[in-house]
Amino acid sequence: MKRTVLITGATSGIGEATAKKYAEASDRLIITGRRKDKLDRLAEQLSSGYGAGVLSLCFDVRDKDQVEKHLGNLPAGWDKVDILVNNAGLAVGLSHIDEGVIDDWDRMIDTNVKGLLYVTRAISPGMVSRNSGHIINIASIAGKEVYENGSVYCASKHAVDALSRAMRIDLLKHGIKVTNIAPGMVETEFSLVRFKGDNEKASAVYSGIEPLTGEDIAEAIFYCTGLPDHVCINDLVITPKAQANATNNVRKN
Ligand code: NDP
Ligand code: 8X3
């Protein structure tokens, strides 16, 4: 049976690959993001390339009124979300705590933590009323460990990790599964955003390493949501073979 899958941050990287993965399986997609051109292009690809039903919603997850406007009133036929992938997120900047840029901190906390909460608050009541659903939270290895210059991003992903564990308890009696996925290095637009558009710094992150791709993470998400109803994967840490954790990796050159 076709499932309705809502993916936040589907305009690039992990979210985009995940949308394609579900479309390939003939599921129905609600895709979101701020960049309308990218959203429109993806919607077109999903519907003409895969024949998928698509609802595309352009909004900023940091804006709770916009989240409520779009997700609190999903159109008929789209209002029963089976799978929510809380993926929209970002790292902005790298700095020691005493030199941190407060606007960068706000962007990370507002997107990664508050945005995820607003979206979950809008979608989870429907799941509760139907006693079914699956929420996938895209956290990070930065939610398992901390590293120099990454304090606020790491804190925001530790919050996602804690929210995954806590929402699993709250939603347990309603038959809703919660899966936390913690990727290591994935080559997407992530580093370009972290380095504020500096391509050279962004590509250096992946030099000499075969990083994960958005498709690798999409595969894992899809797997977690395809298991028998009584099985719930709680937490997955996924790194490239060349990465042991946030600070130890081997590079070829
Ligand atoms: P990308 O930068 O490629 O994708 C991020 C997505 O989030 C985009 O679609 C972007 O869309 C969306 N987004 C960002 N801010 C907002 C916002 N305020 N409102 C709505 N959408 C927003 O990076 P990834 O695919 O790598 O990142 C996806 C998730 O994976 C993030 O949560 C990230 O923290 C996490 N992650 C990434 C890792 C990596 O190494 N790449 C490793 C571990 C976790 P738009 O700009 O159109 O709004
Ligand atoms: C992204 C992975 O190691 O840059 O969440 O924090 S890392």
Side-chain angles (χ1 to χ4, degrees):
M1 211 174 84
K2 284 182 202 276
R3 300 167 294 183
T4 300
V5 185
L6 165 53
I7 301 166
T8 65
T11 53
S12 73
I14 296 170
E16 181 178 357
T18 304
K20 289 179 180 163
K21 183 74 196 169
Y22 282 100
E24 232 171 54
S26 302
D27 288 316
R28 310 162 78 237
L29 276 313
I30 306 176
I31 52 172
T32 85
R34 290 166 301 174
R35 288 170 291 178
K36 191 167 182 327
D37 52 336
K38 289 204 161 222
L39 214 46
D40 289 347
R41 209 172 318 132
L42 178 63
E44 166 58 25
Q45 267 183 308
L46 297 176
S47 54
S48 63
Y50 301 92
V54 185
L55 175 66
S56 105
L57 302 172
C58 188
F59 65 89
D60 188 326
V61 295
R62 291 172 296 179
D63 182 335
K64 62 173 174 290
D65 295 336
Q66 286 286 311
V67 173
E68 179 51 29
K69 179 179 154 209
H70 289 284
L71 301 183
N73 287 299
L74 285 165
W78 288 100
D79 52 350
K80 295 182 179 59
V81 174
D82 299 300
I83 299 167
L84 163 62
V85 184
N86 273 319
N87 167 73
L90 77 185
V92 199
L94 275 170
S95 60
H96 279 180
I97 195 76
D98 53 305
E99 293 168 343
V101 178
I102 288 177
D103 185 53
D104 293 350
W105 294 356
D106 287 341
R107 284 178 64 194
M108 290 188 274
I109 291 169
D110 291 350
T111 310
N112 301 352
V113 185
K114 293 166 75 179
L116 180 145
L117 283 170
Y118 299 154
V119 170
T120 305
R121 182 64 184 86
I123 298 301
S124 57
M127 291 180 167
V128 166
S129 72
R130 295 186 298 282
N131 283 310
S132 77
H134 196 155
I135 299 175
I136 305 277
N137 290 330
I138 306 301
S140 169
I141 54 169
K144 304 287 185 190
E145 333 161 25
V146 292
Y147 51 84
E148 187 175 9
N149 289 317
S151 56
V152 175
Y153 179 66
C154 291
S156 75
K157 290 299 186 177
H158 273 70
V160 174
D161 194 282
L163 284 168
S164 295
R165 284 181 278 137
M167 60 174 87
R168 189 175 308 114
I169 299 168
D170 292 349
L171 299 172
L172 186 64
K173 65 175 179 290
H174 303 291
I176 297 164
K177 300 186 198 182
V178 179
T179 299
N180 190 74
I181 296 194
M185 226 181 258
V186 190
E187 190 165 13
T188 59
E189 292 181 13
F190 177 82
S191 292
L192 198 61
V193 173
R194 169 172 262 172
F195 291 112
K196 304 179 180 178
D198 186 329
N199 241 315
E200 213 172 310
K201 282 189 181 165
S203 46
V205 173
Y206 311 107
S207 103
I209 275 195
E210 184 177 350
L212 297 170
T213 62
E215 287 74 17
D216 294 326
I217 304 302
E219 195 73 46
I221 296 169
F222 188 78
Y223 172 77
C224 290
T225 59
L227 291 167
D229 189 51
H230 67 286
V231 181
C232 178
I233 293 191
N234 290 357
D235 202 358
L236 269 187
V237 179
I238 311 170
T239 62
K241 190 169 80 170
Q243 181 182 29
N245 57 34
T247 43
N248 292 79
N249 53 59
V250 281
R251 293 184 192 264
K252 284 209 181 83
N253 46 16

